[in-house]
Amino acid sequence: MATARYDDDLRLAHVVADQVDALTMERFGAADLRVESKPDLTPVTDADRAAEAKVREQLSRARPRDAVHGEEMPDTDGGARRWVVDPIDGTKNFVRGVPVWATLLALMDGPEVVLGVVSAPALNRRWWAARGSGAWTGRSLSQARQLHVSRVNSLAAASLSYSSLHGWEEQGRLDGFLDLTRQVWRTRAYGDFWSHVLVAEGAVDVSCEPELALHDMAALVPIVTEAGGRFTSVDGKPGCSGTSGVATNGLLHEEVLAALATPGARKTSRPAGPGPGR
């Protein structure tokens, strides 16, 4: 499935994901789960930290020369190759017992993301892609089906998924986002990684989030693009080079970007409380 250059890396990512899945599932729903607030007011659990530590431990053994960028721990130095880790994407769901959360692993070779794995053990689902190899879903490399985006070419027939309205308001883009929701056939807030992998599956035609970090989206980019779609920022920057994410089947991308470019309400400050983090 993968191009020869990244075969071993893809196999390694699956092995690491297997180990992390076992760890996170053991903590999912645990009565003694420890939850803290980070400085940005987003939650972090002992499972987040343990999962990232497990990833880093395995990478330090198998790929000691590669750099690592993660959500919870400081970056490590390395060469052109850098692994990007989100130990639990959807921590708020994890804390509340909602099964929509996943571990995201990506490999960047220079500025390009060449490999991505998204593993959602509570859903019993996994998605992955490597450059030039297509995008796939299944429980293992040997038992998988290839993903393809939809062929919907009209916003009026399109399904849109998002995470929340707060971020669009904070970014001054709420009017544009609401205008987009009025143009499409259907809207659902599947949220987080789930919105974007559904675009790769062809079940959703458009997904968008106004504020994302590298670890939130790196693994998603190759999965969407290898399935035939496009992934950019709201401003049209390719891949994960921006600070927001728009994934589409490609046919609708320019229309979506145009709608989201509509000037919105004045940027406001939210009251103290949990932030928009995942």
Side-chain angles (χ1 to χ4, degrees), residues 150-161:
S150 75
R151 302 303 298 168
V152 172
N153 60 7
S154 166
L155 284 180
S159 177
L160 163 70
S161 181

Side-chain angles (χ1 to χ4, degrees), residues 13-270:
H14 275 275
V15 170
V16 173
D18 288 342
Q19 295 177 356
V20 175
D21 284 355
L23 186 157
T24 51
M25 283 300 291
E26 183 178 350
R27 299 302 294 151
F28 183 52
D32 62 343
L33 183 71
R34 298 188 300 277
V35 184
E36 302 171 12
S37 288
K38 294 189 286 189
D40 63 359
L41 300 181
T42 60
V44 60
T45 71
D46 60 284
D48 290 85
R49 294 189 171 114
E52 184 163 329
K54 173 62 72 174
V55 174
R56 288 171 179 267
E57 174 189 348
Q58 296 304 311
L59 291 177
S60 68
R61 294 176 179 174
R63 297 292 186 273
R65 296 182 180 180
D66 293 353
V68 180
H69 168 81
E71 181 178 13
E72 308 300 343
M73 301 177 185
D75 291 356
T76 62
D77 296 328
R81 289 166 48 102
R82 176 171 57 154
W83 293 86
V84 181
V85 184
D86 190 342
I88 299 179
D89 184 66
T91 299
K92 292 178 181 178
N93 284 344
F94 187 91
V95 169
R96 293 295 300 270
V98 179
V100 183
W101 50 270
T103 295
L104 278 54
L105 302 174
L107 174 61
M108 300 184 72
D109 199 346
E112 182 182 3
V113 184
V114 297
L115 179 154
V117 173
V118 173
S119 191
L123 297 175
N124 197 32
R125 296 292 307 276
R126 186 176 291 181
W127 303 260
W128 64 89
R131 186 172 64 184
S133 71
W136 304 81
T137 188
R139 287 307 304 164
S140 69
L141 285 166
S142 61
Q143 298 179 332
R145 65 178 175 87
Q146 191 166 6
L147 302 178
H148 301 282
V149 295
S150 75
R151 302 303 298 168
V152 172
N153 60 7
S154 166
L155 284 180
S159 177
L160 163 70
S161 181
Y162 63 100
S163 289
S164 72
L165 296 179
H166 296 302
W168 297 104
E169 185 174 21
E170 290 180 337
Q171 295 294 317
R173 295 181 182 272
L174 183 58
D175 288 353
F177 176 76
L178 292 177
D179 180 60
L180 177 61
T181 67
R182 298 183 187 106
Q183 295 182 58
V184 299
W185 163 63
R186 188 172 189 252
T187 61
R188 288 293 184 272
Y190 296 117
D192 302 332
F193 76 94
W194 188 234
S195 293
H196 306 299
V197 295
L198 287 176
V199 171
E201 289 193 4
V204 167
D205 311 300
V206 179
S207 61
C208 48
E209 293 189 75
E211 187 176 7
L212 292 175
L214 177 63
H215 57 261
D216 294 318
M217 53 182 161
L220 301 167
V221 171
I223 295 172
V224 171
T225 57
E226 288 290 328
R230 284 183 66 187
F231 195 110
T232 73
S233 69
V234 172
D235 299 321
K237 295 178 181 177
C240 52
S241 57
T243 57
S244 55
V246 176
T248 75
N249 63 5
L251 301 174
L252 302 170
H253 208 84
E254 295 303 325
E255 285 185 86
V256 171
L257 293 183
L260 294 175
T262 302
R266 180 171 57 87
K267 188 173 181 179
T268 59
S269 297
R270 294 181 63 194

